[in-house]
Amino acid sequence: MKQRISGEGALIGEASAPSKGITKFMRNHKDAVIATIILGPMLLWWALISGFPTLFGFFLGFFEWVGVASTPKFIGFDNYVRFFNDPVYYMALWRAVWIGLLVTGLTIIIGFLVALLMNLPLFGKGIYRTMWYIPVVTSTVATTQIFNIFLDPNNGVINNILKGFGKEPIIWQYSVGWGVFWIVVYSIWKGIGGSALIWLAGLQSVDPVLYEAADIDGANRWQKFWNVTLPGVKPIATYIIITGLIGAVQIYEQVIFITGGGPYGQTEVLVYRILRDGFFDFNLGMAGASSVVLAAVVFVFTVAYFRYATENERSSRKKNARGAHGG
Amino acid sequence: MTNSKGIAKQFRPLNVFAHTVLMLGGLLLIYPIIFMFMAGMMSAEEYAKTVMGLFPIAKEPTFKNFMVLIGGASDSQVQTYYVNSILRTLYGLFWAMITSFLGGYVFARLRFKGRDTLFLVLLATQMIPGVVSVIPTFIEFARWPFAGGNYIFNGGKGILDSWWVYLIGGPSINIMGTFLVKQSLEKVPYELDEAAKIDGAGTFRIIFQILMPLQLPILAFIAITTSQGIWNDWTTPFFFTTSDNLQTLPAAISRMSQLAQNPMGLPDYPLMLTLGLGVTLPMLLLFFFFQRYIVQGLANAGIKG
């Protein structure tokens, strides 16, 4: 088993003495044996539940298949060609990206400001945290229904209020702009608490010694914020932006339950399209090809940001280390 | 901490500002929950007749919906949904804790060839969107060997629409948890393991009696986020099962809302909202009691500076 896990250079501190018998082998490769015992079953299960379906999905991208009773037909890159020629698909991808960027950006910025306030020594902090976090723990299917009740064209809460002011009611479902608007509002409502909490953890993990050192140096509040707090939370920014982007590009429950992709498919995002292809239109090949494109987009986002962030992190860590030891 | 007390004295207006923003924002955020509660007191007939305002006040308040939520009704399966939700969450939680802790231990403490490569591969797969595997998983489950479908391209219904969907499909390796435990364990000095080893403790004794108690905050964090994820997941029951007695609470709501899109079906909105409250409340209590661990756990893990 051990020889099959390859990768040079990662080998550290293994005894190289020639061994005879199983006990000697155990003694020399104890870590590897334990790792195999623990990781082996986990990886097998993981391969079965995540690995195989993912690969199979990618594989389906090269086939045309309705999934019932027939055998798949190999069509090469035709699904991909269609993806980039049929506006239904590339528009869905484009929408997923810009709605995702919008949601992530706003959630992260507002979350950071809120976390700054929550980090103050306030009375009743726990209550605020809970209040802000409530939307995060609610189930999407349940809370999107509230938005449906609010946006109902006939008896919706917002339209009733508009009528109360003598204004014309708006049929939100007929407008792309309003559809996207409500999807974004819902996503921010749901994500803001989580973002604030992660930022809060980041703020609290900044070494207090650095603040004391800054105090001694006579730094004012702004200087402390720019020179201690911001560099201190940079690593957590990496985490929150990457996970936020990955999550936001995959928004689809809001689309299913609030706009249903309408009007005329103008608010469809890619994940929604994949599910439709797979479960309603039985176009499994297209679903597979779209999945590959989505995965590629997420991957590019992540790698690009990770590169940028690790470079920053390295330099800020150096600075921090100097500050902690020197001060 | 003495430092922050000093700030409190110096910047009183800031505190007032913070209280105002956090309170008003918080109220805005929990407003839908209040709406759910108030609408839940209406009967379906009254709901259909009322012109909805910002606060739906029932003229004839009824607790019928809440009684259905707590005790079930003769014609509803609410209790089954609850039991399914709870069992599924506990089962998934159990495996998530085991895999993330043991996985984190392996990657943080053991030395073997290819460890870092393997870990990177696992982390990279974390980036692949979950929806990618929904349809292939459906096919995999439908063609499960020895369950009616032995040929990948066509066959029976396999393990779909049975408890196996949850038992087999639920647990896997919790990669994010593994990552967090690894980061957190790397800060625990290795001398601790060695001291225990000298005292005669075996590997698993070191893992469970020495290292695990130190990792409680991060494990609590993983437990809370995992259980939220599984508890609120409606797609697995929605797509992979059809029988009523296999549904979980969120899946039941999503089925009721599908009815809403059908012009002939009249959904019982107040009951739906009450069930929504029923989904939310347990997670809310869980968060309220363990929130300090969330912040602490995150701060302990490697995503800090």
Side-chain angles (χ1 to χ4, degrees), chain A residues 5 31 45-46 48 53 128-130 132-134 137 145-146 155 160 189 204-205 252-253 284 298, chain B residues 19 22 29 36 50 52 111 113 127 135-136 140 168 171 173 228 232 234-235 257 284 287 291 295 304:
Chain A
I5 310 169
D31 278 8
W45 203 318
W46 175 82
L48 194 66
Y128 290 141
R129 269 187 214 163
T130 310
W132 282 76
Y133 202 69
I134 283 176
V137 303
Q145 298 315 318
I146 308 266
N155 188 18
N160 287 342
W189 175 80
Q204 293 190 350
S205 66
Y252 70 101
E253 291 162 311
L284 295 168
V298 170
Chain B
H19 273 295
L22 291 178
L29 286 171
M36 278 168 127
T50 320
M52 279 295 128
R111 289 159 180 188
K113 245 188 192 178
M127 294 168 203
I135 293 150
E140 186 185 7
I168 294 176
I173 178 168
Q228 274 165 11
N232 286 332
W234 60 276
T235 46
S257 78
L284 207 57
F287 175 75
Q291 48 154 319
V295 177
K304 61 168 265 184

Side-chain angles (χ1 to χ4, degrees), chain B residues 191-207:
Chain B
E191 285 78 45
L192 200 67
D193 300 36
E194 282 181 341
K197 217 178 270 173
I198 291 165
D199 288 348
T203 305
F204 285 90
R205 206 186 163 102
I206 295 174
I207 294 179

